[in-house]
């Protein structure tokens, strides 16, 4: 089945710093999402981005489907950005199954 | 809209007991799914449904049953709980005709002793 790898596994930043999180996947996908899991465990949709680039405030994401990776950019990080960031992709053509990466754990220090 | 709701928020079971985790959505989404999240890990798909009356297995279906009698509800049943089922369970839904952009419920934290 499709493999999803996220890097780095852990990241510590000072408030105000920028960061890039990466998601690599091993096969073609039709769907890709980025989520933020906050310290209370809630999963928050960040982007639905099977291809192209999107921006939402300080966050932006780019997926290069032909090269099988996606990037999540966080600019001017804030302590509220802390948590775990997950990438999830569908399991391949014709499947409804989402596969999650193991996440990037981000801690932003004040 | 309430979005995706799950009950209960917390549950403690003894080994061998049965229970049902409830999931409901009010967005008229066709696709619903159940995931479990173990400490330090991503989410793994248990079962999913692409519409009322249609369900299928995900990555880790053993020990769990589902049914989908209405568009709104997708309960997850544990027939005989085991300590290995201690986890946080998330339900999700999406409007599958165009995209599989998923929206998650708040989760149920289950402990089996």
């Amino acid at each position: 089945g499709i493999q999803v790898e996220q890097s780095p596994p852990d990241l510590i930043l000072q408030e105000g710093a920028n960061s890039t999180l990466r998601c690599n996947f091993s096969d073609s996908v039709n769907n890709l999402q980025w989520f933020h899991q906050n310290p209370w465990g809630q999963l928050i949709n960040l982007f639905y981005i099977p291809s192209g680039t999107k921006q939402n405030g300080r966050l932006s994401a780019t997926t290069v489907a032909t090269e099988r990776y996606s990037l999540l950019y966080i600019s001017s990080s804030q302590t509220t950005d802390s948590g775990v960031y997950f990438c999830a992709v569908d399991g391949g053509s014709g499947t409804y199954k989402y596969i999650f990466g193991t996440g990037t754990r981000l801690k932003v220090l004040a | 809209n309430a979005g995706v709701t799950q009950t209960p928020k917390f549950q403690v079971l003894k080994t061998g007991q049965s229970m049902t985790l409830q999931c409901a959505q009010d967005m008229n989404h066709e696709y619903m799914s159940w995931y479990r999240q173990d400490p330090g890990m991503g989410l793994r798909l248990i079962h999913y449904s692409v519409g009322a009356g249609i369900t299928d297995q995900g990555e880790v279906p053993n020990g769990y049953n589902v049914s989908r009698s209405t568009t709104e509800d997708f309960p997850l049943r544990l027939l005989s709980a085991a300590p290995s089922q201690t986890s946080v369970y998330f339900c999700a839904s999406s409007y599958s005709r165009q995209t599989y952009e998923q929206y998650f419920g708040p989760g149920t934290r289950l402990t089996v002793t």
Side-chain angles (χ1 to χ4, degrees):
Chain A
I2 194 167
Q3 304 296 315
V4 182
E5 293 182 357
Q6 291 186 242
S7 60
D10 296 282
L11 189 57
I12 300 176
L13 300 174
Q14 285 296 134
E15 203 167 24
N18 302 329
S19 62
T20 301
L21 282 57
R22 187 176 180 103
C23 172
N24 291 337
F25 41 96
S26 60
D27 204 347
S28 300
V29 299
N30 296 314
N31 296 277
L32 187 148
Q33 278 187 264
W34 283 97
F35 297 92
H36 174 215
Q37 188 168 40
N38 65 22
W40 296 270
Q42 184 182 8
L43 280 158
I44 300 162
N45 285 22
L46 296 178
F47 295 102
Y48 172 76
I49 186 166
S51 63
T53 297
K54 290 186 177 179
Q55 179 153 9
N56 184 4
R58 296 181 295 104
L59 273 60
S60 63
T62 295
T63 297
V64 184
T66 54
E67 297 188 21
R68 300 179 185 168
Y69 72 88
S70 182
L71 302 174
L72 178 68
Y73 305 97
I74 305 174
S75 64
S76 304
S77 58
Q78 301 175 357
T79 56
T80 52
D81 295 330
S82 295
V84 184
Y85 290 80
F86 289 107
C87 165
V89 303
D90 65 352
S93 178
T95 179
Y96 296 88
K97 301 178 181 182
Y98 260 81
I99 306 297
F100 276 72
T102 52
T104 292
R105 186 173 300 275
L106 173 65
K107 188 173 179 62
V108 181
L109 304 175
Chain B
N1 286 353
V4 181
T5 58
Q6 292 184 237
T7 55
K9 285 186 169 50
F10 302 94
Q11 183 71 48
V12 179
L13 290 178
K14 293 188 188 305
T15 297
Q17 286 184 318
S18 63
M19 79 159 295
T20 300
L21 307 185
Q22 301 292 345
C23 174
Q25 52 90 10
D26 62 358
M27 299 175 282
N28 202 31
H29 283 174
E30 292 186 355
Y31 179 89
M32 296 184 74
S33 54
W34 277 102
Y35 294 85
R36 60 178 287 174
Q37 184 178 28
D38 299 312
M41 296 181 67
L43 279 70
R44 291 184 292 168
L45 183 64
I46 304 171
H47 285 286
Y48 66 96
S49 168
V50 299
I54 306 169
T55 63
D56 205 348
Q57 297 180 349
E59 280 183 86
V60 288
N62 292 342
Y64 308 95
N65 277 0
V66 293
S67 60
R68 182 106 177 263
S69 56
T70 67
T71 300
E72 295 78 20
D73 300 297
F74 190 43
L76 177 72
R77 281 182 287 277
L78 284 70
L79 299 179
S80 179
S84 60
Q85 293 178 304
T86 294
S87 190
V88 180
Y89 291 84
F90 289 97
C91 178
S93 74
S94 67
Y95 185 57
S96 65
R97 285 190 183 186
Q98 294 172 341
T99 74
Y100 301 128
E101 182 174 4
Q102 293 191 89
Y103 296 86
F104 280 82
T108 294
R109 186 174 295 274
L110 175 67
T111 302
V112 183
T113 61

